[in-house]
Amino acid sequence: MLARVAESLYWMGRYIERAEFYKRYCIVEYFSALESPMTEHQDFTLRSIMYMSGTEFNSEETLVERDVFQKVLFDASNPHSVYSMIHDVRENARGIRNNISTELWESINKWFIFIKSRGQEAFTSAQYFTFFDTMRFHVAMIKSDMVHTLLHNDVWHFLNLGMYIERSQQVFKIMRSKISDYEILSNNGENKAMLTYQFHTLLKCLQAFDVHQVQNRGFMMTSASIFELVISNKDFPRSINYTLKKCHQHLLRISERPEGYSEVAAKFESSIAVFRNFKEFDNESLVIQHIEDTNQMVTNIHDDIVKLFFQ
Amino acid sequence: MIDVLKDYEVPEGMLDEVMSDAESGGNAYQKFFEHLSQMNIQEYKSLSDLAKLSFLNQGVTYALYDKNESVEQIFPFDLIPRIISGEEWERIERGMIQRNIALNLFLEDVYNDAKILSDKVVPEYLIKSSVHYCQAMENFTPPKGIYCHIAGSDLIRHSDGEFYVLEDNLRSPSGVSYVLTNRIAMRKVLPDAFKNASVEYVSNYTDKLLQAMWSVSGRELGDIFCVLLTPGSFNSAYFEHTYLAQKMGIELVEGRDLIVEDGHVYLKAIGGRIRVDVIYRRIDDAFLDPNVFNPDSMLGVRGLMDVYSKGNVTIINAPGTGISDDKAVCAYVPDMIKYYLNEDAIISNVPTYICNKPEDLQYVKDNIEELVVKPVDMSGGYGVCICDQMTKTEQKELLKKVEANPRNFIAQPKMLLSLHSTFIEESDQFEPRHVDLRTFTILGGESPYVLKGGLTRTALIKNSLIVNSSQGGGSKDTWVVKN
């Protein structure tokens, strides 16, 4: 496989996952905020959406819902918009079209056609749910085509490597965002319901609420129980532990191995071992430090992958 | 309910393929029209939209650049197929095989013994002055003596009902992906129209092309590594490059993905180098190798021609085949057929006046208003002057250009390309529009092969004779129907 092809597959995986996370963050934040205790904090919600997507904005100005969605979802000039993510997925797929199945290509292309056409029409609040639901359908189609129409060879491994690296980074980002929201609201003297709400949305953004309740049946929801699930659960597909395990598995199954491969694989394995030693989920400041350390570890893994395979 | 031929007016002196079939008591279109008669115009338009969506979803688009922004467009597609009988196709097929075998022999001769030039059948100046003449190919014969593995010949049907060859494309003929995707779209939107129609299938093209590539590789099956060399995703034919590479299961590469080492071409794969045996290039000669051609080329592979000359890689089509694309050289193909095969051309050329010949130039000057003047080395319909649509002043200006550089021009009588029923969105009606036919011939493999159907291109503007997609033309599915 060409380095260029591997790199495009890797970034396709990353952008598919990133676009899905942005979309999910928008829908959870927006619809959850329609009910108490967040009804009086719409601006806070919109800022959180802008922050999460990485879209720059003037912190002094009052945000307008319509403009926020335009910028975060459809703005082609915003490199962090969902449109730009999907555009990049498609461009990467287009550059290596002969390496992926017709079905996967067409699903990606239809996704792009959808976001492009949707962005050209008026986008009102009555259309939000249908839009996000259709987006969900497109992502589900793409992921299904990835699983069922590709050989599970190096093409598949590079795609998944990108997808799981991105997933872990997005989980970090959402955790940081929610911890930051939690701290801001705590400093503002907000009530407990408001603070609990932030943790609820963290779980919902990861579609982990139901899983958490099943996992902790009979116990109160605490920050520790949430952190433990999201960080270290070995069976939950959006936990950091699970995503790192999958990254490592895909790395080990890549058949085309350039010089330096064994060293990178060994380094990854020892980093995961260090990560798994952490057990202090009831100590918030240690959890925050652990998140930062692990995030740095994932960034290093990404750098190693780039250097090893793509340069 | 749809009646395609209601209020359908064919200009006098023109041949309309649909009307002519109906008038002569033929039934080629009868079943298809019966199928259409069961729907109203709105239903037809919905199906047409569905076909457009099929192209859009497949990404069958080309890029248009507008104000620094690239806008993807689909080629207009008309649902009424062009139907050619198996009997008529058999003659076209024989004609194309005959023509391309002769052209291949011509290329081998020109770059080696040059007998056809010393025998003065084809003027030497015409060949040696061609911008596509490739010195690097002199005294070299590619594997199995095949130069033009893939040829795209453009045919027209004149008002006398006969097919004529307008020109040959032997460098990197494009358009075959539209033949294949047009058929896919047609099957999706009008499945019933195919039932009992006995339409010859086209989907074996990529198998035949791959077999032709294998046949000239010089290696055993299983060891052969083929690639398709593309200029990149910004090229207007990029869709075709990806489509063909995918269907053949070969690697799509850019120049930067290949490297010459130890007398071979290698693919720079992650796990190491992979030796490349056959390169189906979709870039012009000028960009193939900066050591031999354009030194500024970033698209090719440095040292490629050296490897090629040692026989360690096969390039498809061979460099230097462009001399046959020269419209002045094209005029001599019937002579080449006679010279090499001792046969008369099965499909005649459109009569051509070579402006570099004094007697032909005089004829052009005397009859300019009846002629179509073309530059010899341009494609896509660019530079074509249909003189009866020009003012006297414009004709004089054109003649000045021709006299200043006669080698660069040919002239042909205005051939009245046949018409074909085409749905026109602006008028919501079926109207006659001019069509041509690009055929695709493959040499190599077990035997020469002609894709059964080819690409029918349609001029969408009333009375226009320019069918090229770059000039606003569309296309149709072409059905070769078994007898």
Side-chain angles (χ1 to χ4, degrees), chain A residues 1-4 6 90 94-95 97-102 105-106 109-110 113 158 256 258 309, chain B residues 56-59 72 233 238-239 242 246-247 250-254 256-257 267-271:
Chain A
M1 180 185 287
L2 288 165
R4 179 171 60 79
R90 183 179 183 263
R94 210 166 83 85
R97 249 200 74 175
N98 60 312
N99 288 275
I100 58 174
S101 63
T102 302
W105 159 252
E106 287 194 20
N109 198 38
K110 283 178 192 171
I113 292 166
F158 278 109
E256 290 207 46
F309 293 109
Chain B
L56 203 60
N57 287 339
Q58 289 181 73
E72 286 187 38
S233 59
Y238 182 71
F239 163 75
T242 61
Q246 186 185 43
K247 296 298 166 203
I250 66 173
E251 202 69 50
L252 180 70
V253 301
E254 296 176 20
R256 60 190 163 126
D257 300 325
L267 181 83
K268 293 189 271 185
I270 295 171

Side-chain angles (χ1 to χ4, degrees), chain B residues 80-354:
Chain B
I80 310 269
R82 183 201 212 163
I83 300 175
I84 299 174
S85 73
E87 191 182 9
E88 191 162 30
W89 183 260
E90 189 268 335
R91 186 168 165 270
I92 293 173
E93 194 169 289
R94 280 192 296 115
M96 290 305 99
I97 290 172
Q98 179 199 50
R99 187 176 185 89
N100 286 296
I101 287 176
L103 277 165
N104 199 71
L105 289 167
F106 167 72
L107 287 161
E108 185 173 15
D109 186 13
V110 161
Y111 285 116
N112 289 281
D113 302 332
K115 283 184 187 161
I116 199 167
L117 307 184
S118 53
D119 287 344
K120 301 192 184 310
V121 176
V122 176
E124 185 170 0
Y125 75 85
L126 213 54
I127 304 305
K128 296 289 170 71
S129 62
S130 168
V131 289
H132 301 299
Y133 184 80
C134 178
Q135 274 190 338
M137 290 297 288
E138 287 177 355
N139 302 313
F140 172 77
T141 304
K144 300 213 168 157
I146 298 178
Y147 288 75
C148 44
H149 311 78
I150 308 148
S153 302
D154 292 342
L155 271 55
I156 60 156
R157 195 202 288 264
H158 188 42
S159 50
D160 61 5
E162 293 294 323
F163 275 102
Y164 292 85
V165 179
L166 195 60
E167 61 188 52
D168 300 292
N169 299 277
L170 263 60
R171 280 174 289 167
S172 292
S174 63
V176 75
S177 60
Y178 299 110
V179 178
L180 306 178
T181 52
N182 282 355
R183 180 61 56 82
I184 291 169
M186 279 295 277
R187 285 201 319 239
K188 277 182 189 168
V189 302
L190 285 165
D192 286 346
F194 284 86
K195 289 175 186 165
N196 306 317
S198 298
V199 181
E200 294 275 10
Y201 71 112
V202 292
S203 56
N204 61 341
Y205 176 82
T206 47
D207 292 342
K208 295 287 181 184
L209 180 54
L210 188 59
Q211 284 162 17
M213 289 168 77
W214 287 342
S215 75
V216 292
S217 72
R219 294 183 81 186
E220 293 296 316
L221 267 184
D223 295 334
I224 307 165
F225 195 85
C226 305
V227 298
L228 191 154
L229 177 60
T230 173
S233 59
F234 295 103
N235 186 271
S236 60
Y238 182 71
F239 163 75
E240 178 153 308
H241 305 165
T242 61
Y243 188 86
L244 293 176
Q246 186 185 43
K247 296 298 166 203
M248 290 190 284
I250 66 173
E251 202 69 50
L252 180 70
V253 301
E254 296 176 20
R256 60 190 163 126
D257 300 325
L258 302 176
I259 188 166
V260 167
E261 274 177 3
D262 313 323
H264 290 93
V265 180
Y266 292 95
L267 181 83
K268 293 189 271 185
I270 295 171
R273 308 274 196 245
I274 299 172
R275 190 179 135 184
V276 175
D277 303 300
V278 183
I279 300 176
Y280 173 23
R281 52 76 176 249
R282 295 296 298 256
I283 64 176
D284 286 343
D285 288 0
F287 301 103
L288 270 179
D289 178 356
N291 283 355
V292 176
F293 303 109
N294 182 349
D296 300 325
S297 170
M298 306 286 283
L299 303 175
V301 187
R302 194 172 289 282
L304 173 61
M305 286 301 288
D306 188 42
V307 179
Y308 181 59
S309 66
K310 287 177 180 146
N312 290 340
V313 72
T314 304
I315 300 174
I316 284 177
N317 285 346
T321 49
I323 50 172
S324 304
D325 285 16
D326 187 314
K327 292 180 176 63
V329 176
C330 176
Y332 287 93
V333 175
D335 298 325
M336 295 176 199
I337 293 171
K338 193 78 188 168
Y339 184 78
Y340 295 115
L341 306 175
N342 196 26
E343 294 172 6
D344 291 324
I346 297 167
I347 308 288
S348 302
N349 269 21
V350 170
T352 302
Y353 302 97
I354 297 164

Side-chain angles (χ1 to χ4, degrees), chain A residues 292-307:
Chain A
E292 293 305 323
D293 292 346
T294 314
N295 189 25
Q296 186 56 50
M297 177 190 110
V298 174
T299 304
N300 293 342
I301 292 166
H302 162 81
D303 291 344
D304 286 344
I305 289 168
V306 169
K307 209 182 291 174

Side-chain angles (χ1 to χ4, degrees), chain B residues 71-85:
Chain B
V71 183
E72 286 187 38
Q73 300 279 330
I74 56 167
F75 283 121
F77 175 67
D78 186 66
L79 285 179
I80 310 269
R82 183 201 212 163
I83 300 175
I84 299 174
S85 73

Side-chain angles (χ1 to χ4, degrees), chain A residues 233-274:
Chain A
N233 189 287
K234 67 179 175 52
D235 299 319
F236 176 52
R238 291 204 175 97
S239 78
I240 302 292
N241 191 12
Y242 187 93
T243 57
L244 291 178
K245 180 179 75 182
K246 295 301 281 186
C247 282
H248 190 233
Q249 283 173 355
H250 284 291
L251 181 68
L252 291 182
R253 289 174 65 194
I254 287 173
S255 65
E256 290 207 46
R257 300 176 172 185
E259 209 176 311
Y261 169 86
S262 305
E263 289 81 353
V264 168
K267 187 175 150 194
F268 193 173
E269 195 168 353
S270 62
S271 300
I272 291 178
V274 172

